[in-house]
């Protein structure tokens, strides 16, 4: 359930809590096993694994599965190095804001942007 779908505003938290309680009873607790029927010899780890798996199943049924973002294959070691140099230059400039550090940070930012842009363009050229 998405709060935006239901149309709650900031003043309606009590109704939201009541609706979420009903939502959990209907979706989550419906897939959890009845613990009275579970064997007494069930250890803590297997009980936790059972609860964790059931929570995942209920969440996937009610919310859906989140697709991870695709990684950028062109972002290689060179890109990591220029980004790291840019971060270090920024930290140095923030700690000691003199003109030389500002210029160094500006140059590192330009170099990082240029390197990343060129790598991305090369990768786009391969895919076409």
């Amino acid at each position: 359930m998405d709060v935006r779908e239901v149309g709650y505003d900031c003043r309606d938290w009590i109704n939201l809590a009541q609706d979420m309680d009903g939502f959990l009873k209907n979706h989550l607790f419906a897939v959890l096993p009845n613990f009275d029927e579970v064997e007494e010899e069930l250890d803590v780890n297997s009980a936790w694994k059972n609860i964790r798996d059931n929570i995942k199943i209920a969440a996937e049924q009610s919310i859906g599965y989140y697709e991870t973002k695709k990684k950028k294959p062109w972002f290689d070691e060179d890109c990591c190095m220029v980004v790291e140099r840019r971060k270090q230059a920024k930290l140095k400039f923030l700690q000691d804001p003199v003109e030389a550090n500002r210029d160094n940070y500006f140059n590192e930012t330009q170099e990082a942007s240029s390197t990343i842009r060129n790598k991305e363009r090369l990768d786009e050229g391969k895919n076409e």
Side-chain angles (χ1 to χ4, degrees), residues 24-42:
L24 288 175
K25 285 179 184 173
N26 292 336
H27 288 84
L28 178 63
F29 299 129
V31 296
L32 289 175
N34 187 354
F35 284 107
D36 295 334
E37 299 173 2
V38 177
E39 296 178 12
E40 293 295 325
E41 298 177 8
L42 190 65

Side-chain angles (χ1 to χ4, degrees), residues 11-30:
R11 294 165 285 178
D12 208 10
W13 291 109
I14 294 173
N15 291 337
L16 175 63
Q18 290 171 349
D19 288 350
M20 287 303 293
D21 184 46
F23 173 76
L24 288 175
K25 285 179 184 173
N26 292 336
H27 288 84
L28 178 63
F29 299 129

Side-chain angles (χ1 to χ4, degrees), residues 66-79:
Y66 176 74
E67 294 288 331
T68 57
K69 294 181 180 179
K70 295 180 181 178
K71 306 244 186 269
K72 299 174 177 134
W74 51 265
F75 197 88
D76 59 1
E77 190 64 33
D78 292 336
C79 296

Side-chain angles (χ1 to χ4, degrees), residues 118-128:
N118 290 337
K119 293 279 185 176
E120 188 175 11
R121 284 179 182 167
L122 284 174
D123 187 60
E124 286 176 0
K126 290 179 187 176
N127 293 336
E128 290 179 359

Side-chain angles (χ1 to χ4, degrees), residues 13 16 25 27 38 46 55 62 72 80 82 85 98 113 115-116 121:
W13 291 109
L16 175 63
K25 285 179 184 173
H27 288 84
V38 177
S46 61
I55 288 173
S62 61
K72 299 174 177 134
C80 289
V82 294
R85 286 199 318 254
V98 294
S113 297
T115 302
I116 290 171
R121 284 179 182 167

